[in-house]
Structures are given as structure tokens and as C-alpha cells.
Amino acid sequence: MLTVRDGADDVESGYRRILLAIDGSDSSRQAGTYAFDLAAAYDATVYGIHIVETRFGSSDPIRRMLEQQGEESIQDARVQAARASVELVPTEREGDPAREILDFAAKQDIDLIVLGTHGRAGFDRVVMGSVASDVIREAKQAVLTVRVKSSE
């Protein structure tokens, strides 16, 4: 816990509630490492969120694949949390990923949002969008983004 001296009063600050966006990507797993390390240092709880985009219908094979990927990603996050001796509270949502992350963070009084970024630029970013950019732009909380370095 970080303690800041403010005159005669001690003001404690730190991360007590961390939101980790989980999507199964390398950057998401790397972001998990940061989230769980911070949680261990601050004795914080990590809320893991996986979002299935609603643009896929309930019987769409892609949606079923994304739901399965979400279950596997949450299980991976559970393993990471256990290794760090940190509590993980998983949740699955459906909708626009950035909007769901922001809504959850507001409703759960999250102190820090941690998410991976794919590092897309130019045309790819315009076509694919950027959840990280939207979250950074609109979040009321601190945001930590983690980008996996390319092996090229």
C-alpha cells in the first residue's frame, strides 16, 4: 500500500479493485501477469472480464467458438491468479467490449483497468477498431495497456 504524506494526515492510495480484460490473446495473458503482480503487491482483488461481441447470433458457430475461447481464457487466468496467490472474480458479458469494460468498471468501483493491446496501426486499426483506445479515451479510472512485442 502506498502512503502519501499530506501535512499531518496520511492519505493511503493504491489499487484495491483491478479489472483485467481477458480475450485469450498473448497480450491479454501478458496483461494478466501485470494485473496479478499488482494485485499481489497491493493485496487487491482482480475482476476478470471476458466479452462476447453481440454481432454474432446465438446459433452462430463463431459465437460458440468465442464462448469456448472465453471459458478457456478464464481458466488460464485462474491459473495465473493462483500462482500469484491473488483472488480472481471472473465474469462473462456480451456486447461491445469497450462499453462493457467501461460499464463494469464504473459499477464495480474499479481502481485500475488492465488490458492488452494488439498494437494495430493504420488501416488495420481503422477496420478492426481498438478496444484499448476506446477504453483509454473514456475511462474514469487509471488504465494500463500491455502490448506484446513482435518477434520480427
Side-chain angles (χ1 to χ4, degrees), residues 63-82:
R63 180 189 174 101
R64 287 195 301 273
M65 180 194 69
L66 291 173
E67 288 170 345
Q68 177 65 33
Q69 179 186 30
E71 291 170 17
E72 292 168 6
S73 299
I74 288 173
Q75 185 57 36
D76 287 346
R78 282 189 173 115
V79 170
Q80 280 186 295

Side-chain angles (χ1 to χ4, degrees), residues 8 14 22-23 26 42 48 59 72 100 105 117 141 146:
I22 300 171
D23 69 5
D26 288 341
Y42 287 103
S59 63
E72 292 168 6
E100 291 299 321
T117 179
Q141 303 80 358
V146 178

